[in-house]
Amino acid sequence: MVFQKPPDGGWGWVIVVVSFFTQFLCYGSPLAVGVLYLEWLDAFGEGKGKTAWVGSLANGIGLLASPVCSICVSSFGARPVAIFSGFMVAGGLMMSSFAPNIYFLYVSYGIVVGLGCGLLYTATVTITCQYFDKRRGLALGLISTGSSVGLFIYAALQRELIELYGLDGCLLIVGALSLNILACGSLMRPLESSSSPPEKDKVDKVPDQYFVYHEKEKTVEENISILEKGYIDEKCVNNAPDCKQENILNKNVLNSININEKDTYKKKVVEQTNFCKQLAKRKWQLYLTYWKETMVLFKNKVFSALFVAILLFDIGGFPPSLLMEDVARSANLSEDDYYMPLISIIGIMTTVGKLILGILADFKWVNTLYLYVTTLLMTGVALFAIPFAKSYLTLAMLSGILGFLTGNWSIFPYVTTKTVGIEKLTHAYGILMFFAGLGNSLGPPIVGWFYDWTQEYDTAFYFSGFCVLLGGFLLLLAALPCWNVCTNQSSKLPSNTYSYKVASNA
């Protein structure tokens, strides 16, 4: 399989549109789960930390399984994976409407829906990067706004559906809407050119197969002799007087077996054994290659700092989108001043942020790594300011700022591509998304547990802000120009070792 040169247009714009609606349909409910979170708190009466696991799993499990998702997309293609994942998301949402307790939601909403979203996210990002090169930042920014628009619309939609049809009816309708992912996935035409597979070197394999054949042939002869002996011994033990007669009869029967049938049996056994041996050897080599490439990636200091930064960012930066509605309710805000759900503000500003940051990433004079670091540092400062917000206006402003900065998700694939190259994007992105999913899964429960222990959110958001700031400073240190002195010695390193400076200039 040989990929064509990215067309930067044409059918690529169709890919952008269907990827936008795919992320809109699959991530709308999980990102707007803060509305459902309040209903689940009242319905099941569990603690905030325990209930927060539902939303955190839905947003984190797909990222945790990103290496598996990447393998699935690489093996089967974006289109089959998208269609299959559409069934997963729709089925998980519909199953959640019948949840008898919070533990059922962990599986139906958290794992099933979350894994489906992870597969869809990997499929849309991968196929978009294949279709675009020069306009990749714009394309990724456009498709990533689908989840943000979904957050904005689904926050109000789910609230309205709950009032009209209840929590169960809301989940059934949202699940039915997710079936439209199937239509979007069917339009994800792969960008590849047909090429004949390389011819196998049959001459080199003949001696090995010949050796294996005769080795297995000898083993078959020994096995037949053992079976004959075991059969005769068993008869002798059970019926000693007739032992001699049975021995004579058995030998006559065994000697009368057709030689051609024996040879056919031997050949089949040898062929199946040889096939299993070659398959196991090939799979083992693939696993070894995967881990060797992973170790090479972590030798890049920027990539190593990037995985720490994304982990800490998701631990601290994701909870506001899930818990901001409960923060407003805990602040005893007046309903007259509550003009728009805070989660909707986060959603619409995330859309704006993804678009603007995606466009900025396409400018040659903008260093996307430093741009990403800036968003991390500003997010940490905004999280520190949440405990001081005591009115709807200040909470709405902070929600807008956090939403805009969360738009850095649109440039994260861009940063990853510039760090490791397009050839290693699927592999590296899967690893980074695993740590992002770990942060998504741990962040909201940790904040919820802080509230259960202290009965206030102040300490929790101080902790969140510290995590994001720490990740931003570590990534900034790894990207400083002073490290380029060490990079000049890269000629002594293996040829497949990457540095951000070289990759970004490629």
Side-chain angles (χ1 to χ4, degrees), residues 203-479:
V203 178
D204 294 340
K205 292 188 176 181
V206 169
D208 183 57
Q209 293 178 355
Y210 185 78
F211 173 78
V212 172
Y213 175 81
H214 283 280
E215 182 182 4
K216 294 301 178 182
E217 184 178 10
K218 181 180 178 182
T219 304
V220 172
E221 294 286 355
E222 294 177 353
N223 290 338
I224 293 176
S225 300
I226 293 172
L227 289 174
E228 292 175 2
K229 183 179 179 181
Y231 177 78
I232 294 171
D233 292 343
E234 183 179 0
K235 288 291 183 180
C236 290
V237 172
N238 294 334
N239 193 1
D242 299 331
C243 180
K244 294 182 178 180
Q245 184 178 359
E246 291 290 336
N247 289 342
I248 295 173
L249 292 174
N250 289 331
K251 288 181 179 179
N252 292 333
V253 172
L254 291 172
N255 290 331
S256 64
I257 296 177
N258 193 322
I259 297 176
N260 292 332
E261 293 180 357
K262 277 188 176 182
D263 293 340
T264 302
Y265 169 76
K266 293 175 185 178
K267 290 179 180 179
K268 289 182 178 180
V269 171
V270 170
E271 289 175 359
Q272 293 177 0
T273 305
N274 188 40
F275 172 77
C276 294
K277 178 182 176 181
Q278 297 297 330
L279 181 62
K281 183 178 180 180
R282 189 179 301 110
K283 293 295 183 182
W284 179 248
Q285 290 176 348
L286 289 175
Y287 292 141
L288 288 178
T289 302
Y290 177 83
W291 288 111
K292 287 179 181 178
E293 291 178 353
T294 302
M295 295 303 297
V296 170
L297 288 174
F298 277 99
K299 289 180 181 179
N300 185 348
K301 62 182 181 299
V302 177
F303 179 83
S304 299
L306 198 60
F307 96 86
V308 176
I310 193 64
L311 172 64
L312 295 177
F313 172 74
D314 281 276
I315 289 178
F318 177 66
S321 62
L322 176 61
L323 303 174
M324 192 60 79
E325 293 295 321
D326 193 49
V327 171
R329 186 168 71 172
S330 301
N332 297 321
L333 298 180
S334 175
E335 295 184 0
D336 296 335
D337 298 333
Y338 209 81
Y339 303 106
M340 181 185 297
L342 296 176
I343 199 168
S344 295
I345 298 176
I346 293 177
I348 193 63
M349 290 305 298
T350 302
T351 304
V352 176
K354 287 180 177 180
L355 283 174
I356 294 178
L357 293 175
I359 293 173
L360 287 176
D362 283 332
F363 288 106
K364 295 182 179 180
W365 53 270
V366 174
N367 188 310
T368 52
L369 182 61
Y370 290 150
L371 179 63
Y372 184 74
V373 170
T374 302
T375 61
L376 295 183
L377 298 178
M378 295 178 65
T379 300
V381 174
L383 289 171
F384 270 113
I386 290 180
F388 300 98
K390 302 301 181 182
S391 65
Y392 174 82
L393 180 60
T394 54
L395 284 174
M397 292 176 61
L398 289 175
S399 298
I401 294 173
L402 288 171
F404 180 86
L405 297 173
T406 306
N408 61 8
W409 273 102
S410 66
I411 64 173
F412 188 75
Y414 201 96
V415 173
T416 306
T417 304
K418 291 297 183 181
T419 303
V420 301
I422 187 63
E423 298 82 5
K424 298 290 184 180
L425 173 62
T426 303
H427 184 186
Y429 200 72
I431 296 173
L432 293 173
M433 288 301 99
F434 173 83
F435 290 101
L438 185 62
N440 271 351
S441 301
L442 295 177
I446 290 175
V447 172
W449 289 331
F450 270 116
Y451 183 90
D452 292 336
W453 294 334
T454 62
Q455 296 302 311
E456 46 87 16
Y457 278 113
D458 294 356
T459 306
F461 282 106
Y462 289 146
F463 170 79
S464 298
F466 173 77
C467 288
V468 177
L469 284 176
L470 178 62
F473 278 120
L474 289 176
L475 185 57
L476 178 61
L477 289 175

Side-chain angles (χ1 to χ4, degrees), residues 478-491:
L480 286 177
C482 61
W483 293 104
N484 291 336
V485 177
C486 299
T487 308
N488 292 333
Q489 302 177 358
S490 59
S491 58

